[in-house]
Every structure is written in structure tokens, then in C-alpha cells.
């Protein structure tokens, strides 16, 4: 079973940027699609973005499209999420998890419940 550890969060002002990373242990990372999800204070898990095994396909929640970019480096067993033009509503704990997620008709699918520690992103002036 792959172990995932997220990092890169922090406190940033609205309009700022952060780059999150998710490092995976084990040898199965490159064979799995990967997903970022987040949990805002007092709310449930929200699907953010997914990427295919080789990185050729990505999809994003409407709330982050055009601002966030998902990528991966299979040689380093690492998944990334570049967060630009951050808004206060992006404040959340961010997690990575294996699998492919998507939204259809407003209903979003989270492939697996995340098990890592997460990394906190706080957007505040």
C-alpha cells in the first residue's frame, strides 16, 4: 500500500501562490491516477483535481479551473498542485489520494478517502 505525505502549505495573502507536493512511497505511484482533494473548516471533502498516470490528462473542479495546475513527476514519486491567484475560499486542508475523480452534473467523485496528514493552506489578508 502506498503511503502519501503532503507538504507545501502555508499562510498566503489573497492573490498569492503556493506549490503543494505529495510524495509517495512504494513502487506503484506511476501506475495510478492521482487526485487532490481538500476539506475547508466545517465542511466535507471536496474534489479539486485529478491527473492520469502519465500526466497527459487532467481535470479540475470549476472552482479552481484556470487558477490551479496539477502535475506529477513519476521519477520522483511526487504529485504537485500549483495554486495561483488564491482566494479566501481556498482555505482548507489539502490531501492527495490515489485514483481518478471527476464531477458530473454537480456531483463529484472522490476515488479514495485520503490517509495522509494533509497540508494546511490558509488564505488571509
Amino acid at each position: 500500500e502506498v503511503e502519501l505525505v503532503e507538504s507545501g502549505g502555508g499562510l498566503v495573502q489573497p492573490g498569492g501562490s503556493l506549490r503543494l507536493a505529495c510524495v509517495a512511497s512504494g513502487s506503484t505511484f506511476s501506475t495510478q491516477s492521482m487526485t487532490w482533494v481538500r476539506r475547508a473548516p466545517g465542511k466535507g471533502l471536496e474534489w479539486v483535481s485529478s491527473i492520469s498516470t502519465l500526466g497527459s490528462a487532467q481535470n479540475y473542479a470549476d472552482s479552481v479551473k484556470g487558477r490551479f495546475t496539477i502535475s506529477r513527476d513519476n521519477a520522483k514519486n511526487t504529485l504537485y498542485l500549483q495554486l495561483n491567484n488564491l482566494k479566501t475560499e481556498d482555505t482548507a486542508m489539502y490531501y492527495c489520494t490515489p485514483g481518478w475523480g471527476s464531477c458530473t452534473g454537480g456531483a463529484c467523485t472522490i476515488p479514495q478517502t485520503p490517509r495522509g496528514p494533509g497540508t494546511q493552506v490558509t488564505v488571509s489578508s
Side-chain angles (χ1 to χ4, degrees):
E1 183 175 312
V2 64
E3 179 179 340
L4 302 169
V5 178
E6 304 89 347
S7 65
L11 173 63
V12 63
Q13 293 185 339
S17 298
L18 286 171
R19 189 191 195 199
L20 308 184
C22 165
V23 179
S25 64
S27 59
T28 62
F29 177 77
S30 63
T31 67
Q32 297 177 302
S33 297
M34 293 295 296
T35 288
W36 284 98
V37 300
R38 65 186 181 186
R39 189 194 304 273
K43 296 187 177 180
L45 281 173
E46 176 189 9
W47 172 73
V48 174
S49 180
S50 294
I51 189 167
S52 59
T53 54
L54 298 180
S56 57
Q58 309 96 35
N59 63 348
Y60 299 91
D62 288 344
S63 59
V64 307
K65 198 172 295 182
R67 300 187 299 119
F68 291 8
T69 302
I70 192 171
S71 63
R72 66 190 297 164
D73 186 337
N74 287 343
K76 296 182 178 180
N77 272 15
T78 303
L79 174 73
Y80 300 100
L81 187 68
Q82 178 69 41
L83 289 63
N84 295 330
N85 191 21
L86 281 160
K87 304 176 180 180
T88 55
E89 52 263 42
D90 295 319
T91 294
M93 187 72 81
Y94 285 71
Y95 303 89
C96 58
T97 190
W100 180 265
S102 62
C103 289
T104 302
C108 298
T109 301
I110 294 173
Q112 294 187 34
T113 300
R115 299 182 179 183
T119 186
Q120 177 68 41
V121 172
T122 302
V123 185
S124 175
S125 56

